[in-house]
Amino acid sequence: MSPRPHKKRKARRILATAAGLATVGALVAALPAMAGQDKGHGHQKPSTVDVQLLSFNDLHGNLEAPAGSAGTVTEKQADGTTKAIPAGGIEYLATSLRNARKGNAYSVTAAGGDMVGASPLLSGLFHDEPTIEALNKIDLDVTTVGNHEFDEGAVELARLQNGGCHPTEGCYEKGKKFKGADFPYLAANVTSEKTGKPILKPYTVWKKNGVKIGFIGVTLEGTPNIVTAAGVKGLKFHDEIETVNKYAQELDRQGVKSIVALIHEGGAPASTAYNYDCDSPGAGDGISGPITEIAKGITSKVDALVTGHTHAAYVCTIPDPSGKPRLVTSASSFGKLYTDTTLTYDRRTNDIVRTSVESANHIVSREQPKAPDMTSLIGRWNKLAAPIANAPQGFISADINGRGATTPESPLGDVIADAQLAGTAPADKGGAQIAFMNPGGIRSDLVYKASGSEGDGVVTYGEAFTVQPFTNMMNVVDLTGAQVITALQQQVSGSNEASPKILQVSKGLTYTLDMTKTGAARVVTDSVKLDGAAIDPAKTYRVAMNEFLGGGGDGFPVLGQGKNKLVGPSDLDLFNAYLAANSTAQAPLAPPAADRITILK
């Protein structure tokens, strides 16, 4: 049962002590007026108040406007066609959020994780201190952790929260010590193996003028499968539903009845258009993926879910366990969208009036003014990064799409796999015959248009870093032909069956995927060939991959079974070396055909 609001408790105390009123009946008659009075002001306080919830997710340290297809959102037009609109960049996100807050007495800003990690050079080079500084300046109130917050481990995550200069690289600016995040990072379902307790706060309560909203933050339970083993060492990741329900109950006992869950897990809407109606024909009918089951399982004490991870855009209502509609949102990625949600808060119950919740995603347009403080921040850090960032690495003749490719095999994926093969093929470098690249490790496109003063077609170190920001070390291992085939089957089976992860493969390796079939049968086994010869299940092959895949990450346990491992240079070093060796201003690298995998539908 909900506790009575503060004003009614005050009224009961007046009832117990007042001598000036002749009868208890007169006092009871006066209670409603007393309960409605604003303390010390004597005017009627409304029983409900609208709270603005602004949210975004998966920023990934994109302070500068992301380039190419990574920097556009798809908008559905009235005639049914779609239009690509340039969007994103912290200068514009800051302006959008500040403008959105105007006229809203109650406004809270929350994020759905992956604020940092897999970041472009401007942030990544400085261990994401620039992004935390920017988020402080745009008045972020709270975020959950995402899987990428663990890229550099729990100790580094704690430093981002609490401040202090980097343990090995020190302070980046003379006389300035990194202050850490002004906002709480929440990690309700991430516990220490030693203590069994959450490594960061599990929840926080936002308060203003008697309004209280609790925020619980979780990342996906499967984080260890998509982060290097070193990043999650000593940590346990727990079920999202059980964790949120546990802390919702705890908040409820504290009298916090309005609760928002920040969940770094998401879904896939039926359309990529940000303004697609995913409640058509019925509530939640237009979205699929992990978040749908999570949303259905989370207690009805939670009033809204801000999600992320899939980089999708949606505003849906998915029924809670009691059958009531409940808001589930995601705002794409890289600061290209923000979600503006109105939560109607009932002061009498301290809860959200679900039937009054309204929400929509909005484009972070690049046609609006830039926020001057963000421009200054970017300029300051760019000056520090410039000697490294602007160094040319190679030349391209046109855009080479990776993240922005519309096919499972991407042109940039082929280039990266070829770079890894070239760097590890020499006998003294590992003797690799095949290279595999995980698609999630390709974070952007190589864009022909100049990003600065380097000139069109020039690939700078900063641009190469944006494509491959993890700096994973290369592994070369022995795998049997049977294990190679199993790896290809694991792309479309097991944990990857519902959402396939298609490995990018080096030149010479070809095969057919028959997507009309299910599970491992989708790989046409006798089509798997290396340089035109069928892969021999009994033969041993030397296979190169980054250390993430080498640890069995992304649902490829067979790749973690390799033997005779040789550790080589970083994937970024090999990528840059390949660009230097295979392109000149006169003979730039052209986008490959991306025809190594034949897909039957």
Side-chain angles (χ1 to χ4, degrees):
M1 181 180 293
S2 300
R4 294 178 184 271
H6 174 69
K7 298 301 177 186
K8 291 190 177 181
R9 292 201 302 272
K10 179 179 179 183
R12 290 202 306 273
R13 289 198 295 272
I14 293 172
L15 175 62
T17 60
L21 292 176
T23 66
V24 170
L27 257 176
V28 171
L31 276 175
M34 292 178 177
Q37 285 182 358
D38 207 358
K39 183 187 288 187
H41 293 86
H43 63 268
Q44 193 80 9
K45 178 181 283 188
S47 60
T48 62
V49 59
D50 284 345
V51 178
Q52 179 189 55
L53 171 62
L54 300 175
S55 57
F56 58 98
N57 51 277
D58 295 277
L59 181 64
H60 290 287
N62 277 265
L63 301 180
E64 296 178 294
S69 60
T72 62
V73 293
T74 301
E75 182 178 67
K76 185 179 179 181
Q77 306 298 296
D79 63 0
T81 61
T82 58
K83 179 181 179 182
I85 300 175
I90 200 73
E91 295 162 294
Y92 303 107
L93 179 61
T95 298
S96 290
L97 294 177
R98 289 165 181 168
N99 286 338
R101 291 179 187 131
K102 291 178 181 177
N104 289 279
Y106 296 83
S107 183
V108 57
T109 304
D114 277 6
M115 294 296 97
V116 300
S119 307
L121 186 78
L122 178 62
S123 188
L125 187 63
F126 305 106
H127 297 276
D128 285 308
E129 289 182 20
T131 295
I132 298 298
E133 181 185 344
L135 293 173
N136 288 342
K137 286 180 180 291
I138 65 171
D139 295 324
L140 181 63
D141 289 297
V142 59
T143 184
T144 185
V145 295
N147 54 288
H148 281 286
E149 263 82 18
F150 295 93
D151 284 347
E152 296 188 51
V155 172
E156 174 62 6
L157 173 57
R159 187 183 77 88
L160 292 181
Q161 176 71 88
N162 301 319
C165 296
H166 193 270
T168 58
E169 297 182 21
C171 300
Y172 294 113
E173 296 179 285
K174 189 174 181 180
K176 287 187 178 181
K177 182 180 179 181
F178 176 57
K179 295 180 180 178
D182 291 344
F183 51 89
Y185 259 112
L186 305 180
N189 69 329
V190 187
T191 60
S192 164
E193 288 181 349
K194 289 183 178 179
T195 68
K197 297 179 180 179
I199 62 167
L200 294 169
K201 291 174 65 172
Y203 60 82
T204 191
V205 180
W206 179 84
K207 301 176 183 179
K208 185 172 182 179
N209 296 338
V211 174
K212 297 185 295 184
I213 299 179
F215 290 88
I216 303 168
V218 296
T219 186
L220 68 155
E221 184 181 8
T223 290
N225 298 326
I226 52 176
V227 175
T228 58
V232 294
K233 187 176 181 180
L235 305 177
K236 283 190 175 181
F237 292 77
H238 304 273
D239 182 82
E240 303 95 334
I241 297 173
E242 292 175 4
T243 303
V244 172
N245 289 353
K246 170 187 173 181
Y247 287 109
Q249 183 70 29
E250 187 170 316
L251 283 167
D252 184 70
R253 287 197 299 266
Q254 296 174 15
V256 179
K257 305 297 181 181
S258 298
I259 302 173
V260 175
L262 308 176
I263 304 175
H264 191 70
E265 179 60 289
S271 167
T272 58
Y274 85 93
N275 54 343
Y276 162 72
D277 180 8
C278 70
D279 285 337
S280 178
D285 284 345
I287 187 170
S288 59
I291 198 61
T292 58
E293 293 307 311
I294 291 172
K296 291 173 184 176
I298 284 179
T299 173
S300 57
K301 294 180 187 298
V302 174
D303 298 294
L305 279 59
V306 172
T307 72
H309 188 56
T310 57
H311 293 201
Y314 47 84
V315 175
C316 307
T317 51
I318 299 175
D320 70 15
S322 70
K324 290 174 62 180
R326 180 168 55 190
L327 190 70
V328 181
T329 72
S330 176
S332 185
S333 62
F334 303 167
K336 293 180 290 188
L337 296 175
Y338 71 93
T339 313
D340 190 338
T341 302
T342 299
L343 301 172
T344 299
Y345 184 94
D346 189 333
R347 289 185 180 277
R348 295 166 299 187
T349 63
N350 295 333
D351 208 348
I352 300 299
V353 182
R354 288 265 202 100
T355 55
S356 300
V357 173
E358 297 178 357
S359 185
N361 276 327
H362 300 277
I363 296 176
V364 176
S365 168
R366 295 185 197 166
E367 294 182 357
Q368 63 186 318
K370 297 179 180 180
D373 58 336
M374 294 296 115
T375 303
S376 176
L377 181 150
I378 288 171
R380 203 178 87 240
W381 287 102
N382 261 333
K383 187 175 180 180
L384 289 174
I388 297 173
N390 297 334
Q393 303 298 309
F395 304 85
I396 57 176
S397 63
D399 289 355
I400 304 181
N401 285 336
R403 198 74 172 184
T406 57
T407 53
E409 178 187 357
S410 70
L412 188 52
D414 286 359
V415 171
I416 291 171
D418 287 351
Q420 294 179 354
L421 180 62
T424 56
D428 62 338
K429 304 295 183 185
Q433 300 161 276
I434 298 168
F436 288 136
M437 175 63 192
N438 58 304
I442 305 169
R443 306 304 299 184
S444 187
D445 306 325
L446 279 185
V447 179
Y448 178 78
K449 183 176 175 58
S451 59
S453 59
E454 75 275 11
D456 291 347
V458 179
V459 180
T460 65
Y461 184 91
E463 291 166 341
F465 185 98
T466 297
V467 166
Q468 288 211 109
F470 297 107
T471 318
N472 279 321
M473 306 310 290
M474 291 301 301
N475 292 176
V476 186
V477 299
D478 285 347
L479 290 175
T480 65
Q483 288 174 313
V484 169
I485 292 171
T486 297
L488 297 179
Q489 292 171 333
Q490 287 175 349
Q491 300 175 112
V492 289
S493 62
S495 63
N496 291 331
E497 181 162 5
S499 182
K501 290 187 174 73
I502 306 303
L503 295 167
Q504 308 299 287
V505 298
S506 55
K507 62 181 179 181
L509 186 68
T510 56
Y511 69 98
T512 297
L513 268 179
D514 186 350
M515 299 304 288
T516 65
K517 297 182 179 178
T518 59
R522 289 171 167 172
V523 175
V524 181
T525 305
D526 59 9
S527 72
V528 184
K529 297 179 179 180
L530 180 61
D531 297 326
I535 288 282
D536 183 347
K539 185 178 176 181
T540 296
Y541 296 86
R542 292 291 283 168
V543 182
M545 65 197 79
N546 60 42
E547 61 186 319
F548 169 62
L549 281 178
D554 256 359
F556 293 96
V558 72
L559 296 181
Q561 298 170 10
K563 298 179 180 179
N564 298 323
K565 179 169 70 176
L566 183 145
V567 178
S570 75
D571 50 9
L572 179 60
D573 285 345
L574 293 188
F575 185 45
N576 284 328
Y578 185 82
L579 291 171
N582 291 275
S583 68
T584 64
Q586 294 74 32
L589 186 69
D595 57 359
R596 297 165 189 179
I597 306 171
T598 301
I599 298 179
L600 305 177
K601 296 181 181 180

